[in-house]
């Protein structure tokens, strides 16, 4: 059952976020008739988080019900997650090239591990560290092999945004483990759509506050109204995010933040492949080597989960005997 659940989560995340990644590239490279580009990162976070709140809330009411849960872990996790997404988007807005930005996102497995070790008191095996090294290294090689603008320099401010995004990701990994512990202390278990609704509610509230502080709401809305083509892409982008995050929270609540990060990171490999096939990009030998490394890491991760499930099943059978 565990392997089947993992397969469902992986397929759901990949399908939704393959299209999500394509739309994100379209939104951030769009130029209006006057040459103006979309640069309202906090405004974009409001639309994306709101779509997740709507889907998560509806599904929570229909399938799970409403209950009283600890709010602080959700507040911290939601605020950090939306800050990480804002920083990544802003990094690209402020001159970081697509390969460098993707490299930064693929490296977030490292701070998640560190955050889980320091804050969540987690323990990982040598084999898990090898999986991380293979997937991060492979994804990085693919990312660096696919260069939209060879030699394009990244701004110092953009690189600072990437570092800030990684820092937020690292802390989120630990807070998610603490959330599980806080619920367990009250005899509760994580609920998928409850996690999506609560986390994105605080993401949306955080984004609203910063959008008005930074003065992005009015110009962002005006830009969308004057450019209906990009507004349509943003709405589709937000919908894909909502569906994809439903699967993400399913994986987090069923398994572990590192497993979720593994899936979402390797998804970038397939996003690159999709981009190569659909948008005419080229990949060299380094890129294909990276694909092999990353896919090897995925298979090893799945094989380890399968082995653990078999051992657990055998252990239960012995107890029954």
């Amino acid at each position: 059952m565990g392997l089947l659940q993992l397969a469902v989560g992986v397929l759901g995340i990949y399908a939704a976020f393959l299209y999500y990644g394509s739309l994100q590239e379209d939104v951030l490279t769009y130029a209006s008739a006057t040459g103006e580009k979309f640069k309202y990162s906090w405004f974009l976070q409001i639309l994306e988080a709101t779509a997740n709140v709507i889907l998560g809330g509806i599904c929570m009411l229909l399938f799970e019900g409403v209950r009283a849960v600890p709010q602080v872990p959700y507040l911290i996790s939601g605020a950090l997650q939306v800050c990480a997404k804002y920083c990544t988007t802003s990094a690209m807005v402020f001159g970081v090239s697509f390969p460098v930005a993707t490299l930064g996102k693929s490296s977030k497995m490292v701070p998640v591990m560190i955050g889980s070790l320091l804050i969540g008191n987690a323990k990982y095996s040598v084999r898990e560290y090898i999986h991380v090294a293979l997937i991060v290294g492979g994804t990085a090689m693919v990312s660096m092999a696919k260069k939209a603008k060879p030699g394009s320099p990244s701004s110092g401010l953009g690189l600072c945004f990437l570092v800030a995004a990684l820092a937020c990701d690292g802390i989120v990994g630990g807070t998610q483990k603490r959330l599980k512990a806080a619920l367990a202390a009250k005899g509760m278990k994580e609920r998928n759509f409850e996690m999506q609704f609560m986390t994105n509610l605080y993401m949306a509230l955080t984004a609203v506050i910063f959008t008005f502080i930074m003065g992005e709401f009015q110009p962002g809305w005006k830009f969308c109204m004057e450019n209906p083509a990009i507004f349509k892409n943003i709405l589709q982008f937000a919908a894909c995010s909502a569906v994809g995050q439903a699967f993400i929270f399913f994986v987090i609540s069923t398994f572990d933040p590192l497993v979720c990060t593994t899936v979402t990171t390797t998804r970038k490999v397939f996003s690159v492949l999709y981009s190569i096939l659909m948008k005419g990009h080229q990949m060299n030998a380094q890129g294909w080597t990276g694909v092999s490394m990353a896919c090897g890491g995925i298979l090893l991760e799945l094989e380890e989960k399968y082995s653990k499930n078999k051992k657990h099943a055998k252990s239960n059978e012995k107890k029954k005997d």
Side-chain angles (χ1 to χ4, degrees), residues 8-31:
V8 170
V10 169
L11 289 174
I13 291 171
Y14 280 15
F17 283 109
L18 276 174
Y19 192 38
Y20 172 94
S22 178
L23 288 168
Q24 182 184 40
E25 189 174 352
D26 292 341
V27 169
L28 295 178
T29 57
Y30 178 87

Side-chain angles (χ1 to χ4, degrees), residues 148-170:
K149 295 180 181 178
S152 177
S154 299
S155 72
L157 181 58
L159 291 175
C160 288
F161 273 118
L162 266 185
V163 172
L166 288 173
C168 292
D169 284 331

